[in-house]
Amino acid sequence: MYSQYLTSRHDVCKELVERLSKRFPYVSLLGKHVVGKTIQVTTVATKVTDTMEAQCGFVVKLYNGKTYAEYSFSEITPESIDSLEKQIIEEVSFPDEILDNHVHLDAIPDEPLKQSFVRSVEGKDYSVEEIIAKLGEIRAKIQSFDPRIVQAITVFTSYETSAMFLSKNRDLTQNFTWPSVVIIAVARSEDGNVQMNRDVATYNSYEKCFEVAEEKIPAMCQTAIDLLSAEMIVPGVYDIITEPSITGLIAHEAFGHGVEMDMFVKNRAKSVRYLNKRVASDLVEMHDGAAATLSAASYFFDDDGVLAHDTLIIDKGILQTGISDAVSAMQLGTVPTGNGRRESYKRKAYTRMTNTFFKPGTSTPEEMISSVKHGYLLSQTDNGMEDPKNWNIQCVCAYGREIKDGKLTGKIVAPVVMSGYVPDLLESISMVSSTGEVIGSGHCGKGYKEWVPVSDGGPYLKARCKLS
Amino acid sequence: MEALFNALKKAPSIAAWKVNIEARKSCELFYVQTKVETNRATDTIDTHVTIYIDVDGKRGQSSFAVYPYMDEAEISKLIEENVFAAKFTLNRFFELPSPSDAPIHQVESNLSKRPFKEIIGEIGNAIMAANHLENGSLSATEIFLYQIDTRIVNSNGVDVASRRYECHIETIPNFANGEEEVELYQAISFGSFDPKELTAKVAEALTLCKDRSAAQKLPVAGPLPVILEGEEIEEFFGAFVDDLRYETAFSKANVYEPGSNIQGEAPTGDVLNITLKPVVEGALASSSVDGDGVILPEVKLIENGVAKCRHGSFQVGYYLGEAHPTGRIPVVEVAPGTKSLEDWRKAPYLRCVKFSGIQVDLHSGMLGGEVRLGYYFDGEKEIPVTGFSIQADARQAITCFQASKQTMVRDRYFGPKYIYIPDVKIA
């Protein structure tokens, strides 16, 4: 249900926007109220906390004729509006010697729109008691899979976002929820070797999250056991098959960050020189957008009040466009794509990815594996780091399974670092599976901060890459 | 806050409680190249409450946020909802920390002396003063100045407040070599502002970027001795510190135990000594108290290569039967060695300066990652190199590393500025 608190502050926020609009050419206000719980059941303890996304507050954004200025605050009331208005004007007024040295900007277009959006979780609702009971059942199944599993962890997270965007001409509200269930097994061998594996189920349905998490238990646990005998890979260049998690890692880290158009404004993206040019093989189609699929980063409007898009970034291997927030689009003379996102009301909006994924092709994973002479099936995202200016890759996969003469040999290597040059990797894509998955349990930083929920994924890909 | 404390005192069903309050004021500047695009200010408050209930000798808990708009009735309702949730989280009993007479270290900072808007302009000027390298530039710079007030209160009588000042900078040096341009991400943080030191750090970052633009492919195949520096050293030693946390043992994911000889019977390099310290001058994370209100001690964690104890959260330490859990001690101090870069400059080595993100995993042993800038010493001179990855076994590397006598201080680290690891694979 949409936040009663934000509803109660709507009129006073509107009044604040109107007052400030008399002084500044562009003013908007974003109110965010996110509530949710993280419930963790482990072999030894149970814990209930607020989710990391929980927040309640406001940010005013205005154009002062020189720069964009913002002020974040935690409360507004009819009684405090006079003092708050003064406070905002004072706090955003930086000395002339700082603001006179400004980039060329203009007021963001403020097209009229008044609309409310709601997306509800499908199916049965669960009480805290029921969630803990369900997590306990799943935990017990993980624990009983093999005596070498010494710790089983299950984590349920669900957060409900309410947001209100007001400007002179826009009055938008949205409300939606996104749940996930994470399952983790820690395995320990007799000789003291310790390994961990995890998997996740994220859907717009609590029931489905629990169902899929249960289905994933055997494979997740078996991999944790297999990892006890994992070796380090012999560094080299190999044929690779990427599972959807690693496909998403490539879409997101290797390429996605480089088409965030605030990077174009800052001259930080190599991709700007490749617009309408080949960056990948013919088989590659890549999308990003809050409206591109239903996952963790699906919303109705972004933190700039721009409606969600489905942006076609790569079509048949050719780079079509990037993604943008409102201020970057204004500077570049392009149309914003609904990718302006803030970590919270306390932070600045940047161009951020949402749901980023490759489109399916025509092969089957089995055909792809059978086509490999010697290589690896790479699984489970560990982490990745962007390098948009130089297009170097660092994608870390939790593990890889060896393929020889078209068959999985049973040998497992962990972890596996993919590195190289992004276009080399994307142009080497020679097969794309017809099935895949977009996985919505991750958080993405910009550099080393500004964490926002994202999803990524796609089909299985066959490519060639340096592994170490 | 009065409404919150009243509601907590009146709640009949809770056995104990803890409140963490953080009030933060900031002043922020965002540059595109050398010009300002956005200026920001914030004045926000976060209040997190944990309530505890006791049932049949067990203790359950639930945490929630309280916002400024909430009155006593609303907070009381939230408390009851969380009491209900806590009934399903009955874990082993543990006691909350008690008050201590030990003094709280208040960090001195020159950032407190003048208005932020005045200081932030000078910080911007100090950064831009370095921006004079031919063909070099700064693509973007972000400056965040914070005044952070924290208060920790619990039902046992702990009530600790402190104020600190922090500046965090993200700047992106760029270097053009003809058509080709390269960049190197640079993060800088400090608690006291020294304009000359800041200009020097940015100038050094620009020079590294210039070197990256001139970097060649590594001319040899390896394995090679590798020298690590900067945050990668913190990550390397940090993996061993993390392994000895109560939390790691509690989740049974630890590799080492107290008493484990981490360096083996016959280490071939320097002896490992690690001390955890609450306060180290220049380390931004310094704090004499942790988020539970524990007044933090100094702890010898690893002595002569042998793990002496575990450390970490008061609650988890209590679960493990520790008589005096340490609390979360923020700074890792590693004893320096006796070598210098000059000493290692007798044979070829590879000095890795900038990684995409080093991976250190004690479970697999993995120590490595993609190197964005390194210097290969060929026996005569250092040559900038790029486009390769390194791979070693961290559990092996700890038995044979050599540490420099030169030290560095970072947000959470004080110790050797360089470490030397022999026989590292290159890809």
Side-chain angles (χ1 to χ4, degrees):
Chain A
M1 193 174 72
Y2 181 72
S3 163
Q4 286 181 6
Y5 171 65
L6 288 183
T7 302
S8 73
R9 296 302 190 268
H10 175 273
D11 290 352
V12 70
C13 286
K14 192 78 188 162
E15 166 76 16
L16 180 66
V17 169
E18 278 166 15
R19 287 191 191 189
L20 292 169
S21 295
K22 288 177 186 154
R23 187 183 279 256
F24 300 104
Y26 173 85
V27 178
S28 67
L29 182 148
L30 177 75
K32 269 210 168 171
H33 191 185
V34 183
V35 293
K37 288 287 183 197
T38 293
I39 301 174
Q40 178 176 303
V41 177
T42 75
T43 304
V44 284
T46 302
K47 209 166 144 188
V48 179
T49 56
D50 270 8
T51 62
M52 62 183 281
E53 288 82 6
Q55 57 180 294
C56 184
F58 306 87
V59 53
V60 164
K61 177 179 196 146
L62 52 88
Y63 176 54
N64 58 22
K66 295 176 181 175
T67 61
Y68 274 87
E70 295 189 343
Y71 184 70
S72 302
F73 53 98
S74 298
E75 169 63 315
I76 178 172
T77 63
E79 293 74 35
S80 70
I81 187 170
D82 290 340
S83 60
L84 181 63
E85 182 190 0
K86 275 187 203 154
Q87 178 86 1
I88 291 170
I89 291 167
E90 190 185 315
E91 292 289 346
V92 301
S93 304
F94 278 44
D96 284 344
E97 56 263 35
I98 295 176
L99 297 193
D100 282 349
N101 174 35
H102 62 89
V103 295
H104 178 72
L105 296 165
D106 212 336
I108 298 170
D110 189 25
E111 300 295 328
L113 184 64
K114 185 172 182 178
Q115 205 164 345
S116 292
F117 304 91
V118 176
R119 188 183 74 226
S120 303
V121 174
E122 292 165 6
K124 175 179 158 34
D125 203 1
Y126 283 74
S127 68
V128 171
E129 186 178 5
E130 288 171 319
I131 292 166
I132 291 175
K134 201 77 196 160
L135 291 177
E137 283 170 28
I138 295 172
R139 188 207 62 73
K141 284 183 184 169
I142 297 169
Q143 188 83 62
S144 62
F145 182 83
D146 188 289
R148 286 169 289 181
I149 291 178
V150 292
Q151 175 72 279
I153 301 168
T154 52
V155 186
F156 169 90
T157 299
S158 180
Y159 55 93
E160 180 180 21
T161 301
S162 295
M164 166 176 73
F165 182 88
L166 301 170
S167 64
K168 207 170 173 185
N169 297 323
R170 283 170 104 78
D171 187 338
L172 307 174
T173 66
Q174 64 181 339
N175 172 257
F176 54 85
T177 299
W178 189 254
S180 66
V181 172
V182 177
I183 53 174
I184 300 167
V186 179
R188 184 184 277 271
S189 63
E190 276 182 13
D191 61 3
N193 186 10
V194 180
Q195 290 290 341
M196 191 183 296
N197 192 33
R198 67 194 291 278
D199 211 332
V200 62
T202 63
Y203 301 95
N204 191 37
S205 155
Y206 302 122
E207 272 176 303
K208 192 165 179 192
C209 285
F210 285 125
E211 275 170 28
V212 174
E214 282 203 66
E215 285 166 20
K216 289 186 169 185
I217 291 171
M220 189 277 295
C221 290
Q222 187 56 53
T223 300
I225 300 295
D226 292 348
L227 282 167
L228 290 172
S229 56
E231 298 172 17
M232 282 206 210
I233 193 167
V234 176
V237 177
Y238 295 95
D239 280 347
I240 57 170
I241 308 289
T242 61
E243 283 192 338
S245 165
I246 304 303
T247 300
L249 184 62
I250 292 168
H252 184 101
E253 294 294 352
F255 201 79
H257 279 291
V259 291
E260 292 172 334
M261 289 168 77
D262 55 351
M263 296 294 191
F264 291 15
V265 173
K266 294 168 186 167
N267 184 32
R268 290 197 59 199
K270 194 165 197 165
S271 60
V272 74
R273 289 197 264 149
Y274 284 78
L275 286 168
N276 301 314
K277 292 182 183 164
R278 178 164 298 285
V279 291
S281 85
D282 273 347
L283 302 174
V284 175
E285 180 179 330
M286 180 176 149
H287 290 246
D288 176 276
T293 188
L294 178 56
S295 194
S298 298
Y299 47 73
F300 299 96
F301 59 85
D302 71 1
D303 293 340
D304 292 327
V306 177
L307 296 185
H309 280 49
D310 173 4
T311 306
L312 175 61
I313 295 172
I314 301 173
D315 189 25
K316 297 186 180 66
I318 308 296
L319 178 59
Q320 303 295 311
T321 184
I323 53 176
S324 62
D325 65 288
V327 173
S328 298
M330 183 265 295
Q331 290 180 78
L332 294 164
T334 58
V335 177
T337 58
N339 289 79
R341 304 182 70 189
R342 299 174 190 270
E343 177 182 282
S344 79
Y345 73 93
K346 300 174 199 168
R347 310 290 296 185
K348 182 181 179 289
Y350 297 81
T351 299
R352 305 305 302 275
M353 278 175 275
T354 53
N355 309 304
T356 313
F357 55 92
F358 291 108
K359 278 279 192 180
T362 55
S363 303
T364 67
E366 294 74 23
E367 284 166 357
M368 295 165 77
I369 289 169
S370 67
S371 73
V372 173
K373 180 83 181 151
H374 184 208
Y376 288 90
L377 172 63
L378 302 178
S379 306
Q380 192 72 261
T381 291
D382 188 314
N383 67 77
M385 192 64 211
E386 75 266 28
D387 188 15
K389 188 62 178 274
N390 310 295
W391 263 348
N392 287 324
I393 300 162
Q394 169 152 307
C395 293
V396 183
C397 317
Y399 58 93
R401 293 183 188 276
E402 188 186 50
I403 307 167
K404 258 190 179 165
D405 298 324
K407 290 191 176 120
L408 291 165
T409 63
K411 180 179 166 185
I412 190 164
V413 291
V416 182
V417 181
M418 300 166 59
S419 54
Y421 183 57
V422 172
D424 288 349
L425 172 67
L426 297 186
E427 285 177 29
S428 77
I429 293 171
S430 54
M431 295 175 90
V432 179
S433 77
S434 57
T435 55
E437 188 185 2
V438 176
I439 302 159
S441 66
H443 284 77
C444 164
K446 187 126 173 146
Y448 295 86
K449 55 187 182 64
E450 316 297 344
W451 298 95
V452 295
V454 292
S455 78
D456 52 44
Y460 289 71
L461 303 177
K462 181 184 176 189
R464 196 161 170 80
C465 189
K466 185 162 74 179
L467 305 180
S468 60
Chain B
M1 283 312 112
E2 204 183 323
L4 170 60
F5 291 120
N6 283 340
L8 285 167
K9 281 172 195 158
K10 288 178 191 168
S13 40
I14 59 177
W17 50 263
K18 177 182 75 167
V19 176
N20 292 76
I21 303 164
E22 183 180 286
R24 196 176 268 249
K25 290 184 178 174
S26 80
C27 181
E28 306 166 15
L29 272 181
F30 299 80
Y31 293 79
V32 171
Q33 279 95 50
T34 57
K35 294 180 183 295
V36 178
E37 184 211 63
T38 301
N39 54 291
R40 302 186 81 247
T42 67
D43 184 355
T44 60
I45 185 162
D46 286 306
T47 304
H48 292 281
V49 181
T50 307
I51 56 96
Y52 305 89
I53 61 161
D54 292 342
V55 178
D56 299 333
K58 290 190 167 184
R59 178 157 272 193
Q61 70 184 78
S62 182
S63 302
F64 55 98
V66 167
Y67 298 111
Y69 75 84
M70 294 175 174
D71 59 18
E72 193 178 318
E74 211 152 347
I75 295 169
S76 295
K77 191 170 161 252
L78 259 183
I79 290 172
E80 283 315 305
E81 284 170 14
N82 281 275
V83 164
F84 179 76
K87 286 176 184 162
F88 308 105
T89 69
L90 296 175
N91 303 312
R92 274 178 256 181
F93 179 82
F94 74 99
E95 187 56 84
L96 292 188
S98 297
S100 163
D101 294 333
I104 304 298
H105 176 81
Q106 299 287 352
V107 182
E108 283 291 312
S109 169
N110 62 6
L111 299 174
S112 68
K113 309 292 183 200
R114 288 179 296 141
F116 271 4
K117 283 184 199 170
E118 217 174 289
I119 302 171
I120 204 165
E122 293 172 18
I123 292 172
N125 290 341
I127 294 167
M128 298 309 159
N131 191 18
H132 296 300
L133 184 69
E134 192 180 353
N135 299 323
S137 60
L138 298 173
S139 297
T141 298
E142 300 183 352
I143 308 169
F144 301 83
L145 261 180
Y146 293 112
Q147 173 191 296
I148 304 163
D149 289 306
T150 56
R151 185 177 171 203
I152 303 147
V153 191
N154 78 16
S155 52
N156 270 3
V158 167
D159 190 346
V160 192
S162 65
R163 170 173 288 184
R164 67 183 196 275
Y165 292 85
E166 294 181 359
C167 180
H168 297 272
I169 295 166
E170 187 182 271
T171 189
I172 315 293
N174 182 78
F175 193 87
N177 194 348
E179 286 279 293
E180 283 304 310
E181 294 184 23
V182 296
E183 68 172 35
L184 269 181
Y185 176 94
Q186 184 70 30
I188 299 167
S189 53
F190 50 79
S192 256
F193 173 44
D194 178 338
K196 284 185 183 163
E197 194 181 324
L198 177 57
T199 303
K201 279 186 180 170
V202 178
E204 186 190 352
L206 273 158
T207 304
L208 291 179
C209 192
K210 180 184 177 184
D211 285 352
R212 187 183 188 189
S213 84
Q216 309 163 11
K217 287 199 167 179
L218 191 61
V220 292
L224 282 170
V226 160
I227 295 172
L228 299 180
E229 61 182 72
E231 66 179 291
E232 280 70 32
I233 295 184
E234 193 177 340
E235 293 284 333
F236 174 61
F237 290 121
F240 295 89
V241 173
D242 287 345
D243 192 74
L244 289 167
R245 286 186 193 283
Y246 303 137
E247 292 85 340
T248 314
F250 195 58
S251 61
K252 300 184 179 171
N254 58 304
V255 174
Y256 300 106
E257 307 277 345
S260 293
N261 191 343
I262 291 172
Q263 292 193 288
E265 292 305 318
T268 55
D270 283 336
V271 173
L272 179 64
N273 285 291
I274 294 182
T275 306
L276 302 180
K277 290 191 166 179
V279 177
V280 168
E281 196 181 338
L284 202 56
S286 290
S287 174
S288 41
V289 58
D290 77 357
D292 289 320
V294 179
I295 305 298
L296 298 167
E298 189 172 306
V299 169
K300 282 201 166 159
L301 186 68
I302 300 173
E303 205 168 14
N304 296 325
V306 177
K308 304 303 287 182
C309 59
R310 296 191 209 278
H311 66 104
S313 121
F314 190 88
Q315 180 175 347
V316 183
Y318 209 102
Y319 285 167
L320 292 177
E322 293 281 341
H324 302 288
T326 63
R328 288 179 284 253
I329 307 169
V331 187
V332 174
E333 184 180 287
V334 180
T338 56
K339 298 285 199 302
S340 68
L341 277 181
E342 281 308 312
D343 294 322
W344 292 316
R345 215 165 267 166
K346 287 172 182 144
Y349 64 70
L350 180 59
R351 183 161 66 92
C352 299
V353 176
K354 286 278 181 186
F355 282 78
S356 295
I358 196 165
Q359 310 297 311
V360 189
D361 176 5
L362 296 187
H363 295 150
S364 63
M366 171 73 174
L367 166 64
E370 187 241 340
V371 180
R372 292 184 174 177
L373 175 65
Y375 293 89
Y376 171 63
F377 179 68
D378 62 5
E380 288 180 5
K381 60 187 179 308
E382 281 192 335
I383 305 160
V385 287
T386 191
F388 61 92
S389 300
I390 65 162
Q391 188 198 72
D393 186 329
R395 298 166 301 196
Q396 184 62 34
I398 202 73
T399 69
C400 57
F401 78 96
Q402 296 171 24
S404 71
K405 59 186 172 195
Q406 280 173 282
T407 57
M408 65 174 174
V409 61
R410 296 175 51 80
D411 291 356
R412 296 183 172 276
Y413 171 89
F414 175 72
K417 189 173 180 182
Y418 305 100
I419 62 168
Y420 175 98
I421 302 168
D423 213 24
V424 175
K425 285 181 195 161
I426 314 291

